[in-house]
Amino acid sequence: DEGPLTPCVHLLAPSRVVPNLGLNLFVSDRRLQAEVIRVVDVLDRAGIHVGRPRPFNVFHRQPINGDPNDDNDPFWSHYEPDTHSIQLTNGRAIDSLIETVRHEIGHAILGHRCVRIDSPNGSHSFNSATDAGLAMGEGWAQFVGLMLSGDRGAAAVAYKGEEWGAGAL
């Protein structure tokens, strides 16, 4: 039993630590750091503590094979519940990485505080048939990403992710 309070140990030194949010950032890009801090702070103020009781680690690493769009690369952007960390693939556009942060934090909320959904994991896409567990996890992460992209005072959400309109799928 690994228990919910098992700390994660890394050989790398974090680029930035935000103790009040329980964040360890292994990310040198300041804009990416700022977005992670912003969304974790928004959630924290809403009572959703992503970085407590376990620290939340965010990594921004080079893809192993040099292709940042290869979803079979082990450093492909994803949430890892065992270490309560997000892997972000370096080499992708910053706007895409920011949307990925918002989506993966949705997975972190489920994996850290709520439930662990049994699914086959692995490569997947939003517009192909999948199992119910994976569909639930991806749907939730998309919802959280959309919620974190919005401005409560705006008339419309400025979301640039998957096109969910008629005929898109």
Side-chain angles (χ1 to χ4, degrees), residues 4-159:
L5 299 177
T6 304
C8 192
V9 178
H10 303 281
L11 298 176
L12 303 171
S15 305
R16 186 168 181 185
V17 175
V18 185
N20 64 311
L21 295 175
L23 277 174
N24 296 317
L25 300 172
F26 299 84
V27 175
S28 58
D29 185 282
R30 296 283 186 203
R31 189 169 163 200
L32 203 50
Q33 283 183 3
E35 182 62 12
V36 172
I37 293 166
R38 183 192 76 78
V39 298
V40 170
D41 183 56
V42 164
L43 292 169
D44 197 68
R45 285 185 282 119
I48 303 166
H49 308 296
V50 179
R52 295 186 305 274
R54 288 194 303 169
F56 184 48
N57 303 291
V58 180
F59 295 92
H60 188 208
R61 296 185 177 166
Q62 293 295 331
I64 288 178
N65 65 6
D67 181 1
N69 298 308
D70 178 4
D71 62 357
N72 291 311
D73 191 311
F75 286 169
W76 176 252
S77 298
H78 69 281
Y79 170 69
E80 179 55 55
D82 293 335
T83 57
H84 192 43
S85 63
I86 290 177
Q87 232 14 293
L88 298 169
T89 307
N90 198 1
R92 297 176 62 215
I94 190 69
D95 289 339
S96 174
L97 284 172
I98 285 173
E99 285 190 28
T100 300
V101 162
R102 296 169 185 160
H103 173 93
E104 297 303 332
I105 285 177
H107 289 301
I109 292 168
L110 278 179
H112 183 54
R113 302 296 290 185
C114 299
V115 296
R116 185 152 183 178
I117 299 171
D118 289 330
S119 73
N121 295 316
S123 297
H124 55 274
S125 68
F126 295 106
N127 56 3
S128 63
T130 185
D131 72 282
L134 191 53
M136 169 57 197
E138 290 304 315
W140 172 257
Q142 281 300 97
F143 165 75
V144 170
L146 183 59
M147 187 270 307
L148 291 170
S149 297
D151 174 2
R152 288 181 180 218
V157 175
Y159 180 69

